mmCIF file of all heavy atoms in Angstrom:
data_model
loop_
_atom_site.group_PDB
_atom_site.id
_atom_site.type_symbol
_atom_site.label_atom_id
_atom_site.label_comp_id
_atom_site.label_asym_id
_atom_site.label_seq_id
_atom_site.Cartn_x
_atom_site.Cartn_y
_atom_site.Cartn_z
ATOM 1 N N VAL G 159 -103.519 75.311 -14.994
ATOM 2 C CA VAL G 159 -103.779 73.886 -15.221
ATOM 3 C C VAL G 159 -102.765 73.324 -16.217
ATOM 4 O O VAL G 159 -102.234 72.220 -16.036
ATOM 5 C CB VAL G 159 -105.229 73.671 -15.726
ATOM 6 C CG1 VAL G 159 -105.435 72.225 -16.184
ATOM 7 C CG2 VAL G 159 -106.227 74.033 -14.635
ATOM 8 N N ALA G 160 -102.468 74.092 -17.251
ATOM 9 C CA ALA G 160 -101.481 73.641 -18.238
ATOM 10 C C ALA G 160 -100.114 73.456 -17.588
ATOM 11 O O ALA G 160 -99.418 72.470 -17.837
ATOM 12 C CB ALA G 160 -101.397 74.651 -19.389
ATOM 13 N N SER G 161 -99.745 74.421 -16.725
ATOM 14 C CA SER G 161 -98.439 74.315 -16.045
ATOM 15 C C SER G 161 -98.388 73.080 -15.159
ATOM 16 O O SER G 161 -97.366 72.392 -15.091
ATOM 17 C CB SER G 161 -98.184 75.562 -15.191
ATOM 18 O OG SER G 161 -98.141 76.706 -15.987
ATOM 19 N N ALA G 162 -99.511 72.809 -14.486
ATOM 20 C CA ALA G 162 -99.547 71.682 -13.553
ATOM 21 C C ALA G 162 -99.506 70.340 -14.275
ATOM 22 O O ALA G 162 -98.987 69.358 -13.742
ATOM 23 C CB ALA G 162 -100.797 71.769 -12.684
ATOM 24 N N THR G 163 -100.047 70.305 -15.476
ATOM 25 C CA THR G 163 -100.134 69.036 -16.201
ATOM 26 C C THR G 163 -99.049 68.885 -17.255
ATOM 27 O O THR G 163 -98.925 67.828 -17.872
ATOM 28 C CB THR G 163 -101.508 68.908 -16.891
ATOM 29 O OG1 THR G 163 -101.664 70.013 -17.795
ATOM 30 C CG2 THR G 163 -102.631 68.920 -15.869
ATOM 31 N N GLY G 164 -98.303 69.957 -17.504
ATOM 32 C CA GLY G 164 -97.252 69.890 -18.513
ATOM 33 C C GLY G 164 -97.767 70.030 -19.927
ATOM 34 O O GLY G 164 -97.015 69.821 -20.876
ATOM 35 N N ALA G 165 -99.031 70.391 -20.059
ATOM 36 C CA ALA G 165 -99.609 70.544 -21.396
ATOM 37 C C ALA G 165 -99.479 71.994 -21.868
ATOM 38 O O ALA G 165 -99.206 72.893 -21.076
ATOM 39 C CB ALA G 165 -101.079 70.141 -21.376
ATOM 40 N N ARG G 166 -99.674 72.205 -23.141
ATOM 41 C CA ARG G 166 -99.707 73.570 -23.664
ATOM 42 C C ARG G 166 -101.064 74.175 -23.346
ATOM 43 O O ARG G 166 -102.091 73.478 -23.401
ATOM 44 C CB ARG G 166 -99.494 73.564 -25.183
ATOM 45 C CG ARG G 166 -98.074 73.215 -25.608
ATOM 46 C CD ARG G 166 -97.915 73.250 -27.118
ATOM 47 N NE ARG G 166 -98.813 72.315 -27.789
ATOM 48 C CZ ARG G 166 -99.852 72.680 -28.526
ATOM 49 N NH1 ARG G 166 -100.122 73.951 -28.706
ATOM 50 N NH2 ARG G 166 -100.624 71.780 -29.086
ATOM 51 N N PRO G 167 -101.115 75.482 -23.004
ATOM 52 C CA PRO G 167 -102.400 76.096 -22.669
ATOM 53 C C PRO G 167 -103.464 75.899 -23.742
ATOM 54 O O PRO G 167 -104.626 75.649 -23.448
ATOM 55 C CB PRO G 167 -102.046 77.579 -22.501
ATOM 56 C CG PRO G 167 -100.616 77.565 -22.075
ATOM 57 C CD PRO G 167 -99.994 76.422 -22.801
ATOM 58 N N ARG G 168 -103.047 75.980 -25.004
ATOM 59 C CA ARG G 168 -104.016 75.824 -26.096
ATOM 60 C C ARG G 168 -104.623 74.432 -26.118
ATOM 61 O O ARG G 168 -105.724 74.240 -26.626
ATOM 62 C CB ARG G 168 -103.327 76.079 -27.435
ATOM 63 C CG ARG G 168 -103.526 77.473 -27.953
ATOM 64 C CD ARG G 168 -102.942 77.595 -29.345
ATOM 65 N NE ARG G 168 -102.253 78.856 -29.528
ATOM 66 C CZ ARG G 168 -102.865 80.012 -29.732
ATOM 67 N NH1 ARG G 168 -104.173 80.051 -29.776
ATOM 68 N NH2 ARG G 168 -102.184 81.118 -29.883
ATOM 69 N N ALA G 169 -103.872 73.466 -25.584
ATOM 70 C CA ALA G 169 -104.364 72.087 -25.602
ATOM 71 C C ALA G 169 -105.338 71.818 -24.463
ATOM 72 O O ALA G 169 -105.976 70.765 -24.427
ATOM 73 C CB ALA G 169 -103.184 71.123 -25.520
ATOM 74 N N ILE G 170 -105.447 72.742 -23.534
ATOM 75 C CA ILE G 170 -106.305 72.538 -22.375
ATOM 76 C C ILE G 170 -107.750 72.925 -22.711
ATOM 77 O O ILE G 170 -108.029 74.051 -23.088
ATOM 78 C CB ILE G 170 -105.822 73.384 -21.171
ATOM 79 C CG1 ILE G 170 -104.436 72.931 -20.720
ATOM 80 C CG2 ILE G 170 -106.823 73.308 -20.013
ATOM 81 C CD1 ILE G 170 -104.390 71.567 -20.078
ATOM 82 N N GLN G 171 -108.647 71.975 -22.584
ATOM 83 C CA GLN G 171 -110.084 72.276 -22.667
ATOM 84 C C GLN G 171 -110.548 72.454 -21.224
ATOM 85 O O GLN G 171 -110.849 71.476 -20.531
ATOM 86 C CB GLN G 171 -110.830 71.128 -23.354
ATOM 87 C CG GLN G 171 -110.481 70.958 -24.824
ATOM 88 C CD GLN G 171 -110.946 72.127 -25.672
ATOM 89 O OE1 GLN G 171 -112.032 72.676 -25.443
ATOM 90 N NE2 GLN G 171 -110.142 72.535 -26.630
ATOM 91 N N LEU G 172 -110.593 73.696 -20.790
ATOM 92 C CA LEU G 172 -110.742 73.954 -19.362
ATOM 93 C C LEU G 172 -112.039 73.383 -18.786
ATOM 94 O O LEU G 172 -112.043 72.794 -17.708
ATOM 95 C CB LEU G 172 -110.658 75.461 -19.095
ATOM 96 C CG LEU G 172 -110.544 75.860 -17.626
ATOM 97 C CD1 LEU G 172 -109.352 75.193 -16.957
ATOM 98 C CD2 LEU G 172 -110.429 77.378 -17.496
ATOM 99 N N GLY G 173 -113.133 73.550 -19.523
ATOM 100 C CA GLY G 173 -114.408 73.034 -19.029
ATOM 101 C C GLY G 173 -114.346 71.537 -18.795
ATOM 102 O O GLY G 173 -114.810 71.026 -17.774
ATOM 103 N N ARG G 174 -113.745 70.835 -19.742
ATOM 104 C CA ARG G 174 -113.626 69.382 -19.618
ATOM 105 C C ARG G 174 -112.717 69.005 -18.447
ATOM 106 O O ARG G 174 -113.018 68.098 -17.680
ATOM 107 C CB ARG G 174 -113.062 68.820 -20.930
ATOM 108 C CG ARG G 174 -113.085 67.306 -21.004
ATOM 109 C CD ARG G 174 -112.517 66.826 -22.333
ATOM 110 N NE ARG G 174 -113.268 67.354 -23.463
ATOM 111 C CZ ARG G 174 -112.866 67.299 -24.723
ATOM 112 N NH1 ARG G 174 -111.708 66.743 -25.013
ATOM 113 N NH2 ARG G 174 -113.605 67.784 -25.697
ATOM 114 N N GLU G 175 -111.617 69.725 -18.308
ATOM 115 C CA GLU G 175 -110.673 69.441 -17.214
ATOM 116 C C GLU G 175 -111.335 69.660 -15.850
ATOM 117 O O GLU G 175 -111.134 68.890 -14.918
ATOM 118 C CB GLU G 175 -109.436 70.348 -17.326
ATOM 119 C CG GLU G 175 -108.564 70.068 -18.525
ATOM 120 C CD GLU G 175 -107.833 68.737 -18.430
ATOM 121 O OE1 GLU G 175 -107.602 68.267 -17.303
ATOM 122 O OE2 GLU G 175 -107.520 68.165 -19.483
ATOM 123 N N LEU G 176 -112.128 70.725 -15.742
ATOM 124 C CA LEU G 176 -112.771 71.026 -14.455
ATOM 125 C C LEU G 176 -113.838 69.994 -14.117
ATOM 126 O O LEU G 176 -114.054 69.670 -12.949
ATOM 127 C CB LEU G 176 -113.384 72.438 -14.481
ATOM 128 C CG LEU G 176 -112.386 73.586 -14.550
ATOM 129 C CD1 LEU G 176 -113.097 74.920 -14.659
ATOM 130 C CD2 LEU G 176 -111.459 73.592 -13.343
ATOM 131 N N LYS G 177 -114.504 69.500 -15.140
ATOM 132 C CA LYS G 177 -115.518 68.453 -14.894
ATOM 133 C C LYS G 177 -114.843 67.154 -14.453
ATOM 134 O O LYS G 177 -115.337 66.443 -13.591
ATOM 135 C CB LYS G 177 -116.347 68.212 -16.151
ATOM 136 C CG LYS G 177 -117.434 69.259 -16.367
ATOM 137 C CD LYS G 177 -118.410 68.815 -17.445
ATOM 138 C CE LYS G 177 -119.586 69.779 -17.534
ATOM 139 N NZ LYS G 177 -119.204 71.088 -18.062
ATOM 140 N N LYS G 178 -113.700 66.865 -15.091
ATOM 141 C CA LYS G 178 -112.981 65.633 -14.730
ATOM 142 C C LYS G 178 -112.415 65.717 -13.318
ATOM 143 O O LYS G 178 -112.337 64.726 -12.606
ATOM 144 C CB LYS G 178 -111.828 65.386 -15.724
ATOM 145 C CG LYS G 178 -112.272 64.745 -17.014
ATOM 146 C CD LYS G 178 -111.118 64.132 -17.794
ATOM 147 C CE LYS G 178 -109.992 65.091 -18.035
ATOM 148 N NZ LYS G 178 -108.998 64.588 -18.991
ATOM 149 N N ASN G 179 -111.990 66.919 -12.931
ATOM 150 C CA ASN G 179 -111.355 67.107 -11.632
ATOM 151 C C ASN G 179 -111.923 68.357 -10.958
ATOM 152 O O ASN G 179 -111.345 69.436 -11.044
ATOM 153 C CB ASN G 179 -109.830 67.227 -11.788
ATOM 154 C CG ASN G 179 -109.129 67.251 -10.460
ATOM 155 O OD1 ASN G 179 -109.758 67.309 -9.399
ATOM 156 N ND2 ASN G 179 -107.812 67.231 -10.498
ATOM 157 N N PRO G 180 -113.052 68.209 -10.279
ATOM 158 C CA PRO G 180 -113.741 69.373 -9.709
ATOM 159 C C PRO G 180 -112.910 70.123 -8.671
ATOM 160 O O PRO G 180 -113.226 71.255 -8.342
ATOM 161 C CB PRO G 180 -114.983 68.756 -9.044
ATOM 162 C CG PRO G 180 -115.137 67.412 -9.658
ATOM 163 C CD PRO G 180 -113.772 66.958 -10.039
ATOM 164 N N LYS G 181 -111.854 69.507 -8.163
ATOM 165 C CA LYS G 181 -111.047 70.180 -7.143
ATOM 166 C C LYS G 181 -110.014 71.140 -7.742
ATOM 167 O O LYS G 181 -109.356 71.875 -7.013
ATOM 168 C CB LYS G 181 -110.327 69.148 -6.269
ATOM 169 C CG LYS G 181 -111.270 68.388 -5.350
ATOM 170 C CD LYS G 181 -110.516 67.542 -4.363
ATOM 171 C CE LYS G 181 -111.513 66.884 -3.404
ATOM 172 N NZ LYS G 181 -110.843 65.966 -2.480
ATOM 173 N N LEU G 182 -109.884 71.111 -9.071
ATOM 174 C CA LEU G 182 -108.893 71.980 -9.697
ATOM 175 C C LEU G 182 -109.150 73.442 -9.375
ATOM 176 O O LEU G 182 -108.237 74.201 -9.060
ATOM 177 C CB LEU G 182 -108.922 71.788 -11.224
ATOM 178 C CG LEU G 182 -107.971 70.758 -11.819
ATOM 179 C CD1 LEU G 182 -108.113 70.742 -13.332
ATOM 180 C CD2 LEU G 182 -106.540 71.049 -11.421
ATOM 181 N N LEU G 183 -110.416 73.817 -9.444
ATOM 182 C CA LEU G 183 -110.761 75.231 -9.231
ATOM 183 C C LEU G 183 -110.373 75.674 -7.824
ATOM 184 O O LEU G 183 -109.748 76.721 -7.642
ATOM 185 C CB LEU G 183 -112.255 75.450 -9.475
ATOM 186 C CG LEU G 183 -112.749 76.882 -9.504
ATOM 187 C CD1 LEU G 183 -111.980 77.711 -10.532
ATOM 188 C CD2 LEU G 183 -114.239 76.928 -9.827
ATOM 189 N N SER G 184 -110.744 74.867 -6.831
ATOM 190 C CA SER G 184 -110.415 75.253 -5.459
ATOM 191 C C SER G 184 -108.915 75.169 -5.192
ATOM 192 O O SER G 184 -108.371 75.923 -4.382
ATOM 193 C CB SER G 184 -111.183 74.387 -4.459
ATOM 194 O OG SER G 184 -110.885 73.026 -4.657
ATOM 195 N N THR G 185 -108.224 74.288 -5.922
ATOM 196 C CA THR G 185 -106.773 74.176 -5.758
ATOM 197 C C THR G 185 -106.081 75.488 -6.138
ATOM 198 O O THR G 185 -105.160 75.942 -5.463
ATOM 199 C CB THR G 185 -106.217 73.041 -6.646
ATOM 200 O OG1 THR G 185 -106.816 71.815 -6.227
ATOM 201 C CG2 THR G 185 -104.702 72.936 -6.535
ATOM 202 N N PHE G 186 -106.548 76.049 -7.240
ATOM 203 C CA PHE G 186 -105.896 77.260 -7.727
ATOM 204 C C PHE G 186 -106.573 78.541 -7.234
ATOM 205 O O PHE G 186 -106.152 79.642 -7.602
ATOM 206 C CB PHE G 186 -105.849 77.252 -9.262
ATOM 207 C CG PHE G 186 -104.909 76.216 -9.816
ATOM 208 C CD1 PHE G 186 -105.373 75.194 -10.606
ATOM 209 C CD2 PHE G 186 -103.559 76.278 -9.525
ATOM 210 C CE1 PHE G 186 -104.507 74.231 -11.109
ATOM 211 C CE2 PHE G 186 -102.683 75.327 -10.021
ATOM 212 C CZ PHE G 186 -103.151 74.299 -10.817
ATOM 213 N N LEU G 187 -107.613 78.402 -6.439
ATOM 214 C CA LEU G 187 -108.348 79.578 -6.002
ATOM 215 C C LEU G 187 -107.477 80.607 -5.267
ATOM 216 O O LEU G 187 -107.626 81.810 -5.497
ATOM 217 C CB LEU G 187 -109.537 79.166 -5.114
ATOM 218 C CG LEU G 187 -110.571 80.257 -4.860
ATOM 219 C CD1 LEU G 187 -111.117 80.816 -6.161
ATOM 220 C CD2 LEU G 187 -111.707 79.717 -4.000
ATOM 221 N N PRO G 188 -106.548 80.185 -4.400
ATOM 222 C CA PRO G 188 -105.689 81.191 -3.744
ATOM 223 C C PRO G 188 -104.910 82.041 -4.753
ATOM 224 O O PRO G 188 -104.775 83.254 -4.568
ATOM 225 C CB PRO G 188 -104.752 80.348 -2.881
ATOM 226 C CG PRO G 188 -105.513 79.094 -2.616
ATOM 227 C CD PRO G 188 -106.289 78.833 -3.873
ATOM 228 N N ASN G 189 -104.396 81.407 -5.821
ATOM 229 C CA ASN G 189 -103.681 82.169 -6.853
ATOM 230 C C ASN G 189 -104.610 83.157 -7.541
ATOM 231 O O ASN G 189 -104.247 84.309 -7.796
ATOM 232 C CB ASN G 189 -103.100 81.219 -7.912
ATOM 233 C CG ASN G 189 -102.242 80.135 -7.314
ATOM 234 O OD1 ASN G 189 -102.763 79.131 -6.844
ATOM 235 N ND2 ASN G 189 -100.938 80.327 -7.304
ATOM 236 N N ILE G 190 -105.820 82.666 -7.834
ATOM 237 C CA ILE G 190 -106.789 83.512 -8.531
ATOM 238 C C ILE G 190 -107.197 84.688 -7.637
ATOM 239 O O ILE G 190 -107.252 85.842 -8.095
ATOM 240 C CB ILE G 190 -108.044 82.682 -8.904
ATOM 241 C CG1 ILE G 190 -107.664 81.520 -9.825
ATOM 242 C CG2 ILE G 190 -109.104 83.570 -9.527
ATOM 243 C CD1 ILE G 190 -107.115 81.914 -11.153
ATOM 244 N N ARG G 191 -107.486 84.390 -6.388
ATOM 245 C CA ARG G 191 -107.890 85.464 -5.455
ATOM 246 C C ARG G 191 -106.800 86.530 -5.341
ATOM 247 O O ARG G 191 -107.084 87.726 -5.315
ATOM 248 C CB ARG G 191 -108.166 84.878 -4.070
ATOM 249 C CG ARG G 191 -109.536 84.275 -3.897
ATOM 250 C CD ARG G 191 -109.760 83.951 -2.411
ATOM 251 N NE ARG G 191 -110.944 83.165 -2.189
ATOM 252 C CZ ARG G 191 -112.167 83.659 -2.138
ATOM 253 N NH1 ARG G 191 -112.368 84.953 -2.316
ATOM 254 N NH2 ARG G 191 -113.192 82.867 -1.921
ATOM 255 N N GLN G 192 -105.570 86.078 -5.250
ATOM 256 C CA GLN G 192 -104.462 87.017 -5.108
ATOM 257 C C GLN G 192 -104.369 87.926 -6.339
ATOM 258 O O GLN G 192 -104.245 89.147 -6.225
ATOM 259 C CB GLN G 192 -103.155 86.250 -4.926
ATOM 260 C CG GLN G 192 -101.983 87.128 -4.548
ATOM 261 C CD GLN G 192 -100.744 86.309 -4.285
ATOM 262 O OE1 GLN G 192 -100.455 85.334 -4.986
ATOM 263 N NE2 GLN G 192 -100.001 86.678 -3.255
ATOM 264 N N ALA G 193 -104.452 87.322 -7.506
ATOM 265 C CA ALA G 193 -104.338 88.102 -8.745
ATOM 266 C C ALA G 193 -105.479 89.107 -8.871
ATOM 267 O O ALA G 193 -105.256 90.279 -9.200
ATOM 268 C CB ALA G 193 -104.327 87.155 -9.949
ATOM 269 N N ILE G 194 -106.688 88.666 -8.600
ATOM 270 C CA ILE G 194 -107.829 89.567 -8.739
ATOM 271 C C ILE G 194 -107.801 90.634 -7.629
ATOM 272 O O ILE G 194 -108.234 91.768 -7.833
ATOM 273 C CB ILE G 194 -109.157 88.768 -8.707
ATOM 274 C CG1 ILE G 194 -109.169 87.753 -9.873
ATOM 275 C CG2 ILE G 194 -110.351 89.695 -8.800
ATOM 276 C CD1 ILE G 194 -108.921 88.354 -11.246
ATOM 277 N N GLY G 195 -107.256 90.260 -6.478
ATOM 278 C CA GLY G 195 -107.084 91.251 -5.412
ATOM 279 C C GLY G 195 -106.134 92.363 -5.832
ATOM 280 O O GLY G 195 -106.401 93.544 -5.609
#
Side-chain angles (χ1 to χ4, degrees):
Chain G
V159 171
S161 298
T163 59
R166 289 181 301 110
R168 263 186 221 283
I170 296 291
Q171 293 293 322
L172 191 56
R174 189 180 301 168
E175 293 291 334
L176 292 176
K177 281 192 173 69
K178 279 197 307 191
N179 187 353
K181 289 189 176 176
L182 268 182
L183 189 55
S184 58
T185 299
F186 291 118
L187 194 56
N189 306 82
I190 300 296
R191 278 190 190 279
Q192 189 176 40
I194 300 306

